[in-house]
Amino acid sequence: TYHHTNMSSSPSSSVATDKCCDPGQGGQHTSHGEDIKIAGVPAYRVGSSRSLIVIGTDVFGNTFPSLRKIADTYAEAGFTVLVPDILKGDPLTPEMLVGEQRPAVFGAWSPKHPIDEAVSIFEAVVAEVKASGAYDTIQVQAYCFGAQCVVKTLETGAAKAGVLAHASRCT
């Protein structure tokens, strides 16, 4: 069963506000996983469990240190984690979203990244890992921009459970 609580006053807004797209601490992190291709998509993979978590990224993409640190932490807890590049190699950087340039930068970036394309990429990755039979369970999780990836994947029944954090573009 899917349950959604809308915590945003404008979930479909295409302009980042000061409270959106916060990169957190960012910083440095030495990744423990590897960069691979799955379903023709670059992805970060870490862990060796038969329980898989597939993560849909925020606008900072699958190479962002904070996200890789989260993936590595899940792997240390006993999961395999896969983070596909749903942004097709074109993430934003925290520096791009500083100050008065933020709305213009996000406004120019957003139309080049239709959410339907990100969802298609994410679903293709989930479908391939599911078909492989390598995992006993598949869970999906997403941050901000990637939230629709989780919603759509759960609607298809391809994943057992899902988590959204700071979901955007969900109505």
Side-chain angles (χ1 to χ4, degrees):
T1 302
Y2 170 67
H3 174 73
H4 174 246
T5 303
N6 186 356
M7 302 293 282
S8 170
S9 61
S10 61
S12 61
S13 173
S14 64
V15 177
T17 66
D18 289 341
K19 294 177 184 167
C20 180
C21 304
D22 180 352
Q25 296 300 310
Q28 300 296 315
H29 173 71
T30 302
S31 301
H32 302 282
E34 61 184 335
D35 291 304
I36 64 165
K37 277 208 170 194
I38 184 157
V41 177
Y44 177 67
R45 180 179 63 198
V46 62
S48 59
S49 168
R50 289 191 51 86
S51 184
L52 176 69
I53 299 172
V54 183
I55 298 177
T57 68
D58 60 14
V59 297
F60 301 117
N62 75 336
T63 61
F64 194 61
S66 293
L67 184 61
R68 288 202 171 187
K69 184 175 183 179
I70 290 168
D72 290 348
T73 300
Y74 287 156
E76 290 169 8
F79 296 91
T80 297
V81 183
L82 195 58
V83 188
D85 179 10
I86 62 172
L87 305 176
K88 302 183 291 184
D90 187 31
L92 291 172
T93 64
E95 297 78 22
M96 295 167 89
L97 297 177
V98 174
E100 293 179 10
Q101 69 182 7
R102 178 188 198 107
V105 168
F106 193 80
W109 180 89
S110 188
K112 296 187 292 183
H113 299 86
I115 196 64
D116 291 345
E117 288 181 17
V119 169
S120 293
I121 292 167
F122 193 83
E123 287 182 327
V125 168
V126 171
E128 186 165 312
V129 295
K130 187 171 184 173
S132 76
Y135 302 99
D136 296 329
T137 62
I138 299 173
Q139 298 97 49
V140 289
Q141 173 180 325
Y143 298 94
C144 196
F145 178 83
Q148 276 290 352
C149 297
V150 167
V151 171
K152 297 298 183 186
T153 300
L154 289 173
E155 287 176 352
T156 68
K160 185 172 185 155
V163 174
L164 305 175
H166 182 58
S168 68
R169 302 179 186 204
C170 289
T171 54

